[in-house]
Amino acid sequence: MNRNRKILLGVLLPCFAACPGEAEQPPQDEAVASNDDSSPDEGGSESDDECVGPDGCWVCEAVEVEQVLNQCTEATCEPFANTSERLPLMQADGSLPLIP
Amino acid sequence: MTRSQARVLVGLLSSSVVVLPGVARAAPCSDLPNPTIGLGGSAAKPLLGLFATELAKQAEPVSLVFQSTTSCFGITAYIDDMAMTGTANYWDAEGTEQTCDLPLEGITPDYGLLSIEPTLCEGVTSVPDGLGERIGPITPWSVIVPAGSSQTSISAEALYFIYGFGASEGRVSPWIVDAELYSRNATASSQIALALATNIPLGKFKGNDTTTANGMVTTVAASQNPEAAIGFVGTEVADLSRDLVRTLAFQAYGQSCGYWPDSTSTAFDKKNVRDGHYYLWTPYRFYAPVDAGGEIIHDATRTAVGYITGSEPIPPEFPALDLITRNGSIPVCAMTVWRDSDIGPLYSLAPDEPCGCYYEFIATGEPTCEACETDTDCPAEAPVCRYNYCETS
């Protein structure tokens, strides 16, 4: 996992705890608008601060798969909380045990 | 279920008309006008039905005949030299599904249809020489629950525990009842796709086999314990029964939120599939015998497969794009992401001739782009008039 992915996931993971249980729309219009002013280059090499929107969505050109999956959007989304309460078999570090 | 067990089951099912007493034999499939006879995954049946109906209306009609099995039989029939027997379905010009008989001695399929790469099927290491591949529209996959369930979202991690460990062992509430855990088998593209997306080894995938895509929907819908019931099926099939089953928002590994195939749980725009927010999709893949130049040899097959995949020139009056869209499938020209392997990493990709504006109009009934007759009607930011809507390129 490269540095961009680590930072992106670090920003995104708190959302699991913070996101409400109801369907929501990650705000994006403002973020996209501000990104338009930043004139991203084709390599998607903007600094991470510039590319992560208010709710952790990706406002720059998506290059990595996590960036594609987490692009800012007007679509409705519904988070699933990958917590130990919901997933009791998940290991303490968040990894998944091998299937027996 | 192993491939050999599944083959026996398919043979028994497809032969039922022949062996059941008191059931009249149907007309021979080979007597239909210009028949092309093939087999493959049951999730594709609605799409083939729409194309078959339109093909039957043509001045020179083609009879698109399909035996609904599971995806892997679309390639293993060729590899194992397994003749098609029993019955198959075709559609008349009014769109009515009909049944016809295959020869008792069996026939080699004119085409095989998979919704997954052939080499993901057990025992398949390559596509046999002499078969050509045609990539067709996109089919999304849905994780479904009964309409009476209160659940709305699920993650890849949760599915890993549910289908990898089994419902009771996986302990992901409320999906903790083994009897309510519904699956297919290792020859079904839906199960292969979900196993890939969740990193579950295919041989360790748990659940009760519902045999067909329609069987999945009816079984999940009929659950007496709707909160605990869960299954998966092609989204086109799920969308036909939204009053019975609901597609859950899916949150892939590394994704911060779960998304439906559509922009909302009630829309039909497949926006999240097309832009990469919805991870569960694969293209349809047709396989048919080709000549040395790579052209499909059988005329009717070349026409039918060519119209569905766009690999042959489509007459202007043939509504291929509309049929794909109305079915809930997605033409490649409406995608803005792609992947080089099934359920592999997504990347942004602009199609050569985008059709997203027209797709959205047909799918939703609402125009989302500027209408046009020629390029001169279009603004600079969307300068190309295609299918009467201004596209960006």
Side-chain angles (χ1 to χ4, degrees):
Chain A
M1 182 178 287
N2 65 25
R3 178 172 169 272
N4 279 357
R5 289 186 185 182
K6 282 182 181 173
I7 292 174
L8 175 61
L9 288 176
V11 172
L12 294 175
L13 286 174
C15 179
F16 293 137
C19 290
E22 296 176 3
E24 60 179 30
Q25 294 184 343
Q28 67 121 12
D29 289 342
E30 306 84 345
V32 169
S34 64
N35 182 54
D36 287 343
D37 294 334
S38 68
S39 302
D41 64 28
E42 291 182 1
S45 60
E46 303 84 349
S47 76
D48 296 308
D49 287 344
E50 290 176 355
C51 291
V52 178
D55 275 12
C57 64
W58 189 258
V59 299
C60 299
E61 181 185 357
V63 177
E64 304 287 340
V65 62
E66 282 87 355
Q67 295 166 359
V68 174
L69 290 168
N70 294 297
Q71 290 173 92
C72 296
T73 177
E74 294 177 352
T76 303
C77 74
E78 179 76 38
F80 184 95
N82 286 319
T83 61
S84 57
E85 290 76 26
R86 200 81 201 269
L87 308 175
L89 298 186
M90 190 170 66
Q91 296 179 342
D93 63 357
S95 62
L96 306 178
L98 289 176
I99 296 169
Chain B
M1 181 184 289
T2 65
R3 194 162 121 199
S4 58
Q5 287 171 325
R7 186 196 300 184
V8 170
L9 176 61
V10 168
L12 289 171
L13 289 172
S14 60
S15 302
S16 59
V17 172
V18 176
V19 298
L20 289 176
V23 177
R25 284 183 59 85
C29 300
S30 52
D31 285 358
L32 296 168
N34 293 323
T36 171
I37 302 170
L39 78 171
S42 56
K45 197 171 175 183
L47 178 67
L48 292 191
L50 290 175
F51 272 85
T53 301
E54 204 62 37
L55 286 163
K57 294 177 187 173
Q58 300 301 297
E60 191 173 329
V62 167
S63 300
L64 182 56
V65 182
F66 184 61
Q67 188 177 65
S68 176
T69 60
T70 55
S71 265
C72 289
F73 287 99
I75 196 73
T76 57
Y78 292 103
I79 292 173
D80 298 342
D81 198 21
M82 184 178 70
M84 292 175 64
T85 57
T87 62
N89 296 112
Y90 67 99
W91 290 260
D92 61 27
E94 284 70 49
T96 305
E97 183 179 330
Q98 308 281 0
T99 299
C100 60
D101 283 336
L102 297 166
L104 290 173
E105 68 276 17
I107 59 164
T108 299
D110 294 317
Y111 67 90
L113 172 55
L114 289 78
S115 309
I116 204 82
E117 291 168 31
T119 51
L120 293 169
C121 296
E122 179 192 355
V124 179
T125 56
S126 63
V127 175
D129 290 342
L131 286 185
E133 178 187 73
R134 300 291 185 271
I135 301 291
I138 305 303
T139 179
W141 301 105
S142 285
V143 178
I144 58 170
V145 294
S149 167
S150 68
Q151 301 301 308
T152 55
S153 178
I154 199 161
S155 67
E157 290 88 342
L159 288 168
Y160 178 85
F161 288 117
I162 295 168
Y163 279 105
F165 288 73
S168 59
E169 293 292 321
R171 297 165 55 195
V172 182
S173 182
W175 300 291
I176 54 174
V177 180
D178 289 331
E180 299 291 349
L181 182 63
Y182 299 109
S183 65
R184 297 290 303 280
N185 62 62
T187 66
S189 49
S190 55
Q191 185 153 316
I192 294 171
L194 204 61
L196 286 172
T198 53
N199 296 335
I200 299 173
L202 202 52
K204 295 186 176 182
F205 207 96
K206 312 293 192 303
N208 306 297
D209 189 355
T210 59
T211 308
T212 65
N214 282 332
M216 176 66 78
V217 169
T218 55
T219 304
V220 170
S223 170
Q224 297 302 301
N225 188 355
E227 202 64 10
I230 189 168
F232 51 84
V233 73
T235 301
E236 301 109 314
V237 179
D239 278 355
L240 290 171
S241 301
R242 282 195 183 182
D243 55 331
L244 299 175
V245 295
R246 284 191 297 102
T247 294
L248 295 178
F250 177 72
Q251 184 174 301
Y253 288 120
Q255 196 168 25
S256 64
C257 201
Y259 290 88
W260 286 275
D262 306 285
S263 58
T264 69
S265 61
T266 56
F268 286 94
D269 54 20
K270 300 296 173 287
K271 181 177 185 298
N272 290 329
V273 180
R274 296 188 291 123
D275 72 10
H277 284 89
Y278 190 77
Y279 196 68
L280 303 174
W281 59 265
T282 56
Y284 287 111
R285 297 166 183 274
F286 286 84
Y287 296 88
V290 293
D291 61 21
E295 187 172 45
I296 294 176
I297 297 168
H298 186 244
D299 288 343
T301 305
R302 188 170 62 251
T303 298
V305 171
Y307 286 9
I308 298 172
T309 63
S311 59
E312 290 288 318
I314 301 173
E317 68 278 10
F318 192 93
L321 207 52
D322 296 43
L323 298 178
I324 292 167
T325 306
R326 279 171 42 204
N327 187 57
S329 314
I330 305 165
V332 174
C333 60
M335 297 289 289
T336 59
V337 293
W338 198 248
R339 53 183 18 144
D340 293 331
S341 59
D342 281 349
I343 314 295
L346 295 166
Y347 57 86
S348 298
L349 181 70
D352 291 338
E353 296 185 349
C355 65
C357 292
Y358 183 71
Y359 174 87
E360 289 180 1
F361 172 66
I362 297 299
T364 68
E366 300 287 336
T368 55
C369 304
E370 202 163 318
C372 58
E373 294 292 333
T374 68
D375 289 355
T376 56
D377 299 330
C378 294
E381 63 271 19
V384 179
C385 186
R386 184 174 298 114
Y387 303 115
N388 295 115
Y389 287 97
C390 296
E391 298 277 359
T392 54
S393 62

